[in-house]
Amino acid sequence: MSVKDKLGNYIRFIIYVIVVVLVNLAGITFFFRLDLTENKVYSLSNVSKQVVSTLSEPLTINVFFTKNLPAPHNNTERYLHDLLEEYSVHANRFFNYRFYDVSPDEGDITEKERENQELAKNYGIFPVQIRRVERDEVKFQRAYMGLVVIHGDLIERISTITSTEGLEYKLTTAIQKLNNKISALLSLKEKIQVKLFLSSSLERVAPYLRVENLPDLPERVETIVQRVNNRSYGTLKFQHLDPTKDQSVEKDLEKYDILSLKWPALSQGNIEAGRGAIGLVMEYGEKAVTLPLIRVLRVPLIGTRYQLADLNRMEETIGESLESLIDINEDLGFLADHDTLKISAGPPVGAPGQQREETLRSFRNLVSQNYTIKEVKLKDETIPRGLDCMIIAGPKETFDEYTLFQIDQFLMQGKSLAVFLDRFNEVLPPDQRGMSFQRNQGPMYIPLNTGLEKLLEHYGIRIKKSYIMDENCFKQQLPAQFGGGERPIYFVPLIMNRFIDKELDFMKNIKGMAVMKASPLELDKERIADNDLQAYRLFASSEKSWEMRDRINLNPMFIQPPAQEEERQSLPLAYILEGRFSSYFAGKPIPEKKTEETSSEKKDPKEKQDEKLSVDLSKIEAAGEFLSKGKPAKIFVMASSNMLKDNILDEEGKSPNAMFIMNMIDYLNSREGFAVMRSKEQWFNPLDESGPATKTFVKSFNIAGLPVLVVIFGLFVWFRRHSRKRYIQTMFQR
């Protein structure tokens, strides 16, 4: 090789080295990531970028994580590192984060690890037990996996992070909640009262209850309240009340449902008979939250046991109760009269001595994470002005004209409505109350006409008097004594991905749902066009569905699909209408609220004389009290209140049904960004439906097609090599 060629190689090598160095420098200087996942799981949502980029005060995230954890927890830590780095890229100068290596061991640890343990404990982060496999043996170890978000003097914690699922949503909502919380605390007109009710008489029986350190409880609770108070801008005021010494406190025990104990003479008369009370109450204005300090446990075969509340968790509990009192979340109205579904907390389903009834416990818990539920009773009051959205779920009573007028004008103000309206009322025969079925007669389904139907029809949507049946439905597993196998429950359609409309962003990651006892919807296209409204069909039943009309019988044993194919079709189940709606009462007299009138015969002469001198108020005209054409608003309509019940929604909010309900509520409240962020990690991802011919082709191809392709490819390679060999031989024979 000549000197010139060697010099050229050296020059090229030096150029390559320079290029590699420059590329690395560019990579360090310019942050760039490429997320190839379909739902951009590893990229921040736009709403997250906006929240962290608009911080006005310092915000710090302290992460307490044990190092060198087994899979999959090590991947959780790595994902958390990447996520917080992404936050910091899009955040302003007020965003900071830090990782603390916290060893769960109590023995031979460094001073730094001991300090980290103490810091985690002060923030309310405690170790959890995880499982690991070592040398084919399952073992358990303790680990710290939590974080706290510190904004100003306030703290929001995620105590345990065992999965990456929904982590961005939790962080972003926590950051936004802290912003709202600061504003709410600074605007309080008076202090929040924290009252500890503790009778000194309980100290005599505490050893028998096995409740330790009861005399020290006031001081310990006061210390906890003071820590919360220091982070809440001094908005808490602590009081210790002793009902034994102050008899005036007795009336408050029943008011706040404070735990009261009464005992006979004990220890051979050394302890006199008496009574005492214990409990913690937080009160602001007309709202109060009671926190029990002693749990009464009734253990089979052992008897009654008393357990003092975990004071290590009390700081977190007080913080959560404070948020409930000051309403830091956006208000969400829920119609609580007209025999709607009950949103208020009641006895647990199946509790001893209580009749089993359907509840909205899961729905209430999910909604309460981001909204403050305000119960609205239209029989006694008007709709509060501060509400932007109201839910009407399964009313059974008829709405009078004045109530319909309130709902109509609420929509005209540019607000949102979510209506879950049942078309039939399920009524048990008189001899089938509870569990005593004496005849082979099922419930009766009586058509409902609450008055909301005509209101919705005026807006452009009708609810048909029928139930949707679908062959693509939930299959009930039958026990062996009934022959086993599956039985289709036709009135519980399973919504397939191809029948879910993806036009709205919050629906893009919803790929399947289940509905129960739903009626089909029908649009008045002419009215919608005249009012220039936008209608979105959110989802529909499959093409194998049909309607059950007139005589409704939902006993699965007596339901048969129609023989004629033309009777089956896809039927719409949920719509959202948007635009400027026209009032139902336009051109009509404004309804008046009905009140009990006093007959003129019962009035004394003085009142009759006053009536003659009184002014005829009907002649006074008022402007602005009625809106005939509304501001831009939204209506969600679905003809099934079962969509909100506990047998449809899961408590954790991970199912497609729960995801859809929460996304829909966010959309109605103009929080679509949060809805998109919540559902981008949807775990339910079914395969596309395929017909019998496609399944047969795929199966045959896997069995016979692939081996044939391998043989054909082998023959092709052999033929190519053979041709090349003959070509070479021909060249050398010339």
Side-chain angles (χ1 to χ4, degrees):
M1 183 180 293
S2 64
V3 176
K4 184 177 181 180
D5 292 337
K6 290 183 179 180
L7 182 61
N9 290 336
Y10 288 141
I11 293 174
R12 281 194 295 272
F13 176 75
I14 293 172
I15 293 174
Y16 294 155
V17 171
I18 293 174
V19 170
V20 171
V21 172
L22 291 176
V23 169
N24 280 274
L25 289 175
I28 295 174
T29 307
F30 302 102
F31 180 81
F32 175 76
R33 291 180 64 184
L34 186 62
D35 190 350
L36 299 179
T37 57
E38 180 182 0
N39 298 329
K40 303 301 179 184
V41 175
Y42 297 99
S43 300
L44 279 188
S45 303
N46 292 331
V47 65
S48 297
K49 297 175 184 178
Q50 180 182 3
V51 167
V52 295
S53 63
T54 56
L55 293 173
S56 57
E57 291 187 25
L59 182 140
T60 303
I61 299 178
N62 289 338
V63 183
F64 299 93
F65 230 94
T66 301
K67 294 289 186 183
N68 302 320
L69 292 177
H73 304 294
N74 55 349
N75 293 328
T76 302
E77 182 187 11
R78 189 178 303 112
Y79 173 81
L80 191 54
H81 268 285
D82 294 340
L83 180 63
L84 292 178
E85 179 63 28
E86 186 104 3
Y87 272 107
S88 65
V89 169
H90 298 283
N92 58 22
R93 61 188 177 88
F94 292 113
F95 180 85
N96 298 281
Y97 72 92
R98 180 178 178 182
F99 275 77
Y100 290 86
D101 179 15
V102 190
S103 173
D105 300 326
E106 300 291 343
D108 186 17
I109 60 176
T110 65
E111 185 64 28
K112 185 64 176 177
E113 290 174 335
R114 195 179 304 278
E115 291 178 3
N116 291 345
Q117 278 187 359
E118 190 64 27
L119 185 61
K121 180 180 179 181
N122 292 337
Y123 283 128
I125 304 296
F126 299 93
V128 296
Q129 193 175 62
I130 62 173
R131 188 177 65 174
R132 61 186 175 92
V133 179
E134 183 178 325
R135 296 178 181 178
D136 298 330
E137 184 179 356
V138 177
K139 296 183 178 181
F140 294 90
Q141 74 174 81
R142 297 201 311 160
Y144 284 87
M145 297 184 294
L147 63 81
V148 292
V149 184
I150 307 170
H151 190 37
D153 293 331
L154 303 180
I155 291 178
E156 190 76 19
R157 67 177 56 81
I158 303 178
S159 303
T160 306
I161 305 173
T162 57
S163 171
T164 62
E165 185 176 356
L167 191 52
E168 180 197 349
Y169 178 79
K170 294 177 183 177
L171 273 175
T172 301
T173 52
I175 294 171
Q176 188 189 52
K177 182 183 290 186
L178 287 176
N179 275 325
N180 295 341
K181 191 172 181 179
I182 289 176
S183 301
L185 287 172
L186 293 177
S187 61
L188 290 181
K189 298 180 180 179
E190 57 187 34
K191 290 184 178 295
I192 298 173
Q193 302 295 323
V194 183
K195 302 176 182 179
L196 172 62
F197 293 86
L198 177 59
S199 300
S200 55
S201 57
L202 286 175
E203 297 178 9
R204 300 195 298 269
V205 296
Y208 297 89
L209 304 179
R210 296 183 180 179
V211 177
E212 300 178 353
N213 302 321
L214 196 61
D216 301 332
L217 187 61
E219 183 179 352
R220 297 173 66 187
V221 172
E222 185 175 7
T223 301
I224 294 172
V225 172
Q226 187 59 44
R227 287 205 299 265
V228 178
N229 197 32
N230 293 337
R231 298 195 302 268
S232 304
Y233 302 97
T235 55
L236 302 182
K237 181 180 179 181
F238 178 77
Q239 284 182 279
H240 174 208
L241 304 174
D242 187 352
T244 302
K245 298 178 180 179
D246 186 358
Q247 299 297 324
S248 64
V249 179
E250 290 286 339
K251 60 182 180 180
D252 293 332
L253 300 181
E254 184 176 352
K255 174 184 176 182
Y256 298 120
D257 294 325
I258 301 296
L259 175 65
S260 297
L261 301 177
K262 186 178 181 180
W263 58 89
L266 301 173
S267 185
Q268 299 180 352
N270 293 328
I271 297 179
E272 298 179 355
R275 60 176 181 166
I278 180 172
L280 189 67
V281 175
M282 297 182 65
E283 185 177 26
Y284 180 74
E286 298 180 356
K287 298 183 66 176
V289 177
T290 301
L291 308 178
L293 293 178
I294 287 184
R295 295 178 59 197
V296 182
L297 306 175
R298 292 176 175 84
V299 184
L301 303 180
I302 297 178
T304 303
R305 291 291 182 267
Y306 298 89
Q307 185 179 65
L308 189 65
D310 186 1
L311 296 185
N312 291 327
R313 305 284 183 181
M314 185 57 63
E315 185 175 344
E316 180 179 357
T317 304
I318 292 176
E320 293 174 351
S321 302
L322 183 146
E323 295 173 2
S324 175
L325 285 172
I326 63 177
D327 296 341
I328 65 170
N329 294 324
E330 190 171 345
D331 292 342
L332 179 68
F334 191 94
L335 186 63
D337 55 12
H338 289 80
D339 199 15
T340 58
L341 298 180
K342 305 305 178 187
I343 191 69
S344 300
V349 175
Q354 298 290 341
Q355 184 179 358
R356 183 182 179 89
E357 61 176 299
E358 295 173 308
T359 65
L360 303 185
R361 189 178 304 273
S362 296
F363 173 75
R364 184 184 67 251
N365 293 340
L366 291 173
V367 171
S368 298
Q369 296 175 11
N370 299 305
Y371 297 93
T372 298
I373 299 176
K374 300 287 187 181
E375 295 191 7
V376 179
K377 298 182 179 180
L378 292 180
K379 292 181 179 180
D380 304 322
E381 59 190 24
T382 59
I383 302 176
R385 284 281 181 176
L387 294 181
D388 290 327
C389 179
M390 188 171 71
I391 297 176
I392 303 176
K396 301 293 188 296
E397 296 181 3
T398 303
F399 292 79
D400 59 24
E401 292 294 296
Y402 180 76
T403 305
L404 292 177
F405 176 74
Q406 291 189 68
I407 297 174
D408 175 87
Q409 291 299 291
F410 177 78
L411 187 68
M412 295 304 110
Q413 295 169 24
K415 308 299 180 70
S416 298
L417 284 174
V419 182
F420 298 84
L421 191 61
D422 295 320
R423 206 62 177 96
F424 297 92
N425 187 17
E426 184 175 339
V427 180
L428 289 175
D431 58 337
Q432 294 192 27
R433 295 171 182 169
M435 298 297 294
S436 59
F437 291 89
Q438 300 178 6
R439 302 178 184 174
N440 292 325
Q441 182 182 356
M444 297 179 292
Y445 295 89
I446 302 173
L448 274 174
N449 189 11
T450 64
L452 281 176
E453 294 81 6
K454 63 182 180 183
L455 204 63
L456 294 175
E457 187 170 351
H458 171 80
Y459 299 144
I461 190 165
R462 289 188 289 270
I463 302 176
K464 302 175 74 173
K465 289 185 180 181
S466 61
Y467 274 138
I468 291 181
M469 307 288 119
D470 198 337
E471 286 192 44
N472 187 64
C473 61
F474 172 76
K475 305 296 191 301
Q476 180 186 24
Q477 297 292 331
L478 295 176
Q481 58 266 33
F482 292 103
E486 294 182 335
R487 178 167 62 188
I489 308 298
Y490 293 114
F491 56 83
V492 185
L494 298 180
I495 309 303
M496 295 183 290
N497 189 25
R498 58 194 175 95
F499 290 101
I500 298 177
D501 196 335
K502 311 291 184 179
E503 187 174 357
L504 296 176
D505 288 340
F506 77 87
M507 294 293 297
K508 287 183 178 178
N509 296 325
I510 306 296
K511 299 183 178 181
M513 282 185 289
V515 300
M516 188 169 111
K517 297 179 183 177
S519 300
L521 305 178
E522 189 177 29
L523 290 181
D524 186 339
K525 296 182 179 180
E526 183 178 349
R527 186 179 297 274
I528 289 176
D530 291 342
N531 291 308
D532 196 23
L533 301 177
Q534 185 70 41
Y536 299 97
R537 192 198 72 172
L538 301 183
F539 56 87
S541 60
S542 76
E543 69 276 8
K544 298 180 180 180
S545 60
W546 70 96
E547 297 181 59
M548 178 182 287
R549 303 184 183 90
D550 302 328
R551 299 183 63 182
I552 304 295
N553 186 353
L554 298 185
N555 189 330
M557 298 178 61
F558 300 107
I559 302 178
Q560 292 295 331
Q564 304 297 328
E565 285 294 330
E566 55 268 18
E567 295 184 28
R568 308 184 191 189
Q569 59 176 325
S570 177
L571 298 166
L573 287 165
Y575 275 104
I576 281 183
L577 303 183
E578 294 185 20
R580 296 169 58 89
F581 295 87
S582 61
S583 174
Y584 173 78
F585 294 92
K588 302 177 182 178
I590 297 178
E592 296 181 357
K593 184 176 182 179
K594 294 181 180 179
T595 57
E596 295 184 1
E597 298 180 356
T598 305
S599 61
S600 59
E601 288 79 5
K602 295 182 180 180
K603 297 179 182 179
D604 57 26
K606 179 69 169 59
E607 289 177 331
K608 293 182 179 181
Q609 182 66 25
D610 289 342
E611 284 184 355
K612 295 179 181 179
L613 300 176
S614 63
V615 179
D616 186 1
L617 299 180
S618 63
K619 296 182 179 180
I620 302 177
E621 297 182 0
E625 63 173 340
F626 171 71
L627 298 174
S628 60
K629 189 72 173 181
K631 301 175 182 178
K634 302 172 185 175
I635 302 179
F636 167 84
V637 181
M638 184 176 180
S640 174
S641 64
N642 289 279
M643 201 69 174
L644 302 181
K645 294 180 180 178
D646 290 348
N647 57 344
I648 296 294
L649 301 183
D650 66 305
E651 294 182 359
E652 297 180 354
K654 295 182 179 180
S655 68
N657 278 54
M659 201 77 69
F660 165 75
I661 292 296
M662 293 305 301
N663 285 359
M664 179 270 297
I665 292 175
D666 280 342
Y667 181 77
L668 295 182
N669 283 277
S670 302
R671 289 164 44 102
E672 189 175 8
F674 284 90
V676 174
M677 178 175 57
R678 178 193 293 110
S679 59
K680 74 177 184 179
E681 294 184 23
Q682 176 61 267
W683 62 271
F684 183 71
N685 196 19
L687 297 175
D688 293 335
E689 290 280 331
S690 55
T694 304
K695 294 178 181 178
T696 303
F697 171 77
V698 172
K699 187 186 299 183
S700 302
F701 180 78
N702 288 333
I703 296 174
L706 289 178
V708 171
L709 284 179
V710 172
V711 171
I712 293 175
F713 181 75
L715 291 174
F716 172 76
V717 172
W718 176 84
F719 179 77
R720 189 170 181 273
R721 289 180 178 177
H722 183 70
S723 300
R724 186 170 178 270
K725 181 179 179 181
R726 293 183 59 185
Y727 175 73
I728 294 173
Q729 289 177 348
T730 303
M731 287 182 60
F732 283 96
Q733 288 176 358
R734 291 178 181 176

